[in-house]
């Protein structure tokens, strides 16, 4: 698992280019994946949602566009948060959301504070995945939902092969050229390959004590939304 200080430094360094590169390298598909998660989230009509590893707040902004909800967003990178705060102010959403600095693996909130938690492309960066997942559970109320959007491993031809070439060669090259960061976009395919996907990730959620765990596969398995419910 990556080291927290390295992750924080890397996201601070790429914060100014993060949004552009995200949408450019995913051909805009990351927006559809976040929308899909938001569709699931609003079905449960939560009132106070925690957005972990909120970064530049794209997921939080998407959710606020669909529903009148209160959101708390947390991230370890001050510079990602600064970009997010600017976007939120521009969108006139500042009264519905708090963006605060914090560590998802050691949350500053009391038990049972939120009735739902979400995280997009964040869990893969955790230094200690089990700790991060158990913290999500701790701060949820009974029957609270967790929704985790993350890259996964596509299994079928030709998506597996095409995406394999794209993520191993094109993303690192374009990412390096545009962000001028030597390693940030090599980090992406390396961490995705090493990260549990599909059933393996659902098992981790179940072992952490979530019930009714299920997966929504996106774009042939390039990404997945994992959903679980806190039983007590
Ligand atoms: C790939 S970005 C995702 C940002 C955003 N959720 C999105 O969908 O674009 C990953 C974010 O996770 C944050 N992060 C990594 N480890 C973290 C931790 N332990 N606690 C809080 N944030 C963390 C990074 O600072 C970064 O902003």
């Amino acid at each position: 698992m990556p080291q927290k200080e390295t992750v924080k430094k890397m996201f601070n360094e790429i914060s100014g280019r993060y949004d552009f590169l995200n949408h450019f390298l995913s051909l805009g598909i990351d927006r559809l994946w976040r929308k899909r998660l938001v569709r699931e989230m609003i079905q449960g009509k939560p009132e106070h949602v925690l957005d972990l590893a909120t970064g530049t707040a794209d997921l939080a902004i998407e959710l606020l566009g669909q529903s009148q909800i209160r959101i708390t967003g947390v991230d370890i990178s001050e510079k990602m948060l600064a970009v997010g705060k600017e976007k939120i102010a521009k969108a006139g959403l500042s009264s519905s959301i708090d963006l605060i600095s914090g560590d998802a693996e050691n949350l500053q909130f009391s038990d049972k504070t939120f009735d739902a938690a979400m995280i997009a492309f964040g869990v893969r960066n955790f230094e200690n995945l089990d700790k991060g997942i158990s913290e999500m559970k701790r701060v949820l109320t009974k029957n609270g939902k967790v929704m985790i959007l993350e890259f996964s491993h596509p299994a079928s031809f030709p998506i597996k092969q095409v995406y394999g070439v794209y993520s191993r060669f094109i993303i690192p090259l374009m990412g390096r050229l545009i962000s001028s960061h030597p390693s940030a976009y090599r980090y992406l395919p390396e961490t995705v390959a090493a990260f549990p996907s599909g059933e393996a990730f659902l098992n981790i959620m179940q072992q952490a004590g979530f019930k009714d765990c299920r997966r929504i596969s996106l774009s042939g398995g390039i990404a997945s939304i994992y959903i679980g419910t806190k039983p007590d």
Side-chain angles (χ1 to χ4, degrees), residues 212-224:
D212 303 332
C213 296
R214 64 189 170 95
R215 170 196 188 197
I216 300 170
S217 176
L218 305 166
S219 307
I222 292 175
S224 296

Side-chain angles (χ1 to χ4, degrees), residues 8-224:
K8 180 176 171 171
K9 183 170 176 286
M10 185 181 81
F11 282 102
N12 274 335
E13 285 168 357
I14 62 170
S15 57
R17 286 290 195 165
Y18 176 82
D19 279 347
F20 171 75
L21 268 163
N22 233 3
H23 307 322
F24 177 73
L25 292 173
S26 79
L27 314 172
I29 295 170
D30 62 308
R31 288 199 171 105
L32 302 180
W33 295 339
R34 288 193 193 82
K35 277 185 197 297
R36 183 71 177 86
L37 188 153
V38 163
R39 228 163 69 210
E40 288 291 320
M41 181 59 82
I42 57 182
Q43 277 176 26
K45 299 191 171 57
E47 288 174 7
H48 191 185
V49 176
L50 175 64
D51 182 26
L52 288 162
T54 189
T56 60
D58 266 2
L59 184 60
I61 291 169
E62 185 63 44
L63 181 55
L64 287 175
Q66 302 294 325
S67 170
Q68 289 210 323
I69 275 177
R70 201 168 121 58
I71 300 182
T72 300
V74 172
D75 202 284
I76 46 167
S77 162
E78 296 285 355
K79 291 203 171 168
M80 292 286 276
L81 287 173
V83 175
K85 281 178 187 159
E86 217 178 289
K87 282 159 61 179
I88 283 164
K90 259 194 201 145
L93 295 169
S94 303
S95 58
S96 312
I97 177 164
D98 292 317
L99 287 192
I100 52 182
S101 177
D103 180 1
E105 295 161 67
N106 194 5
L107 288 169
Q108 58 267 63
F109 311 110
S110 316
D111 297 358
K112 306 187 180 191
T113 303
F114 303 93
D115 48 7
M118 58 188 190
I119 178 165
F121 312 110
V123 282
R124 187 170 32 88
N125 300 295
F126 287 175
E127 195 170 77
N128 184 333
L129 177 62
D130 291 337
K131 183 82 182 12
I133 302 234
S134 73
E135 276 293 86
M136 288 178 203
K137 181 164 167 264
R138 181 181 69 74
V139 297
L140 281 176
T141 52
K142 183 175 177 184
N143 290 322
K145 286 260 190 287
V146 66
M147 301 197 181
I148 300 171
L149 171 58
E150 191 49 84
F151 288 106
S152 44
H153 306 159
S156 44
F157 178 84
I159 293 178
K160 179 179 174 182
Q161 287 70 15
V162 173
Y163 179 68
V165 171
Y166 187 72
S167 70
R168 252 177 296 140
F169 302 108
I170 314 281
I171 291 180
L173 176 67
M174 300 298 283
R176 183 158 45 83
L177 290 176
I178 297 172
S179 74
S180 306
H181 194 284
S183 58
Y185 288 83
R186 206 174 57 227
Y187 169 89
L188 177 83
E190 284 172 3
T191 49
V192 172
F195 196 72
S197 165
E199 280 304 312
F201 193 80
L202 288 175
N203 283 338
I204 291 171
M205 290 176 71
Q206 273 151 7
Q207 269 162 26
F210 283 104
K211 65 171 186 177
D212 303 332
C213 296
R214 64 189 170 95
R215 170 196 188 197
I216 300 170
S217 176
L218 305 166
S219 307
I222 292 175
S224 296

